[in-house]
Amino acid sequence: MISPSRYIDVVPMGDVGEQDLQDLAVSIKEQFGLRVKVSRNQGFPHYAFDPARRQYNSNLILKKLVDNALPAALKVLGVSSVDLFNPIFSFVVGEAQFGGRCAVISTYRLRGKPSNQSRLGCNTLAIRMEKEAIHELGHTFGLRHCADPSCVMHYSVGTELTDCKFAFFCPACRDVMLWHLGTDLFLKG
């Protein structure tokens, strides 16, 4: 299901690897069946920096993504390398507007410890980015956290739990995501 006119806009913000973004775009396209466009790098989100916490407020980043979203973009995913927080959590790896248009993920805590790198030659950061991006975009399609520990929509507090789940929706979440995707495409053209 590839919509010719609607797409998911991936917006890099700051120090994010080009190859990781291209790999992420391929994964998102496979999971959601939509075109994916990687936009021009927006630079570090200095406007969201909180000097007291020495972190970046994900709510402010989401607001900026919403304000700058192009009309043809069905969903917008910000990708940054800075340490994110929101007012109720000491840190977040990602955040999304539930049922909305925008989400953001950060690679800051996805890098983990160097000793935790995959032994199979896979890029652990790229795999974790894929899972977090699909998870947060799932929230924009109205998906809640899933009880299935292997589903990409399962809640994961740290990288260990992120590593345990797959980058795919369980059958129940996939059905709900496809229903919401169809509804979004029908209502928004």
Side-chain angles (χ1 to χ4, degrees):
M1 173 191 351
I2 301 286
S3 173
S5 61
R6 303 308 297 258
Y7 62 91
I8 294 176
D9 192 6
V10 174
V11 180
M13 296 178 291
D15 186 18
V16 183
E18 184 61 34
Q19 186 59 53
D20 287 336
L21 290 170
Q22 294 305 320
D23 292 345
L24 186 61
V26 169
S27 297
I28 292 170
K29 181 179 177 182
E30 289 174 357
Q31 287 297 309
F32 295 97
L34 293 168
R35 288 185 309 119
V36 178
K37 173 184 163 194
V38 177
S39 290
R40 181 178 56 85
N41 196 314
Q42 301 296 303
F44 287 96
H46 298 294
Y47 55 88
F49 184 69
D50 183 321
R53 298 180 70 135
R54 306 194 55 75
Q55 293 175 295
Y56 294 77
N57 187 326
S58 59
N59 291 336
L60 296 176
I61 295 172
L62 280 177
K63 181 181 181 318
K64 185 89 163 188
L65 289 171
V66 170
D67 290 346
N68 293 336
L70 297 173
L74 185 65
K75 305 290 179 186
V76 178
L77 175 70
V79 180
S80 185
S81 59
V82 299
D83 193 16
L84 301 176
F85 78 97
N86 72 25
I88 59 171
F89 293 112
S90 60
F91 72 90
V92 293
V93 174
E95 185 168 354
Q97 293 180 292
F98 184 79
R101 286 182 74 194
C102 296
V104 61
I105 65 168
S106 167
T107 62
Y108 185 84
R109 293 180 188 264
L110 295 177
R111 295 182 187 285
K113 297 175 186 169
S115 61
N116 290 345
Q117 295 301 307
S118 171
R119 296 181 198 110
L120 301 175
C122 298
N123 181 339
T124 303
L125 176 60
I127 294 168
R128 289 174 180 163
M129 285 173 65
E130 176 186 21
K131 292 175 183 178
E132 290 304 322
I134 293 168
H135 180 97
E136 295 305 334
L137 285 169
H139 285 314
T140 67
F141 283 104
L143 293 177
R144 298 185 185 282
H145 289 144
C146 179
D148 181 344
S150 65
C151 177
V152 74
M153 292 310 297
H154 188 71
Y155 181 68
S156 54
V157 177
T159 55
E160 294 82 12
L161 291 175
T162 299
D163 292 343
C164 290
K165 63 185 180 181
F166 295 114
F168 307 103
F169 297 106
C170 70
C173 286
R174 181 148 187 86
D175 284 349
V176 174
M177 187 280 294
L178 288 173
W179 185 84
H180 282 286
L181 175 60
T183 301
D184 279 1
L185 289 174
F186 177 76
L187 294 177
K188 298 169 185 167

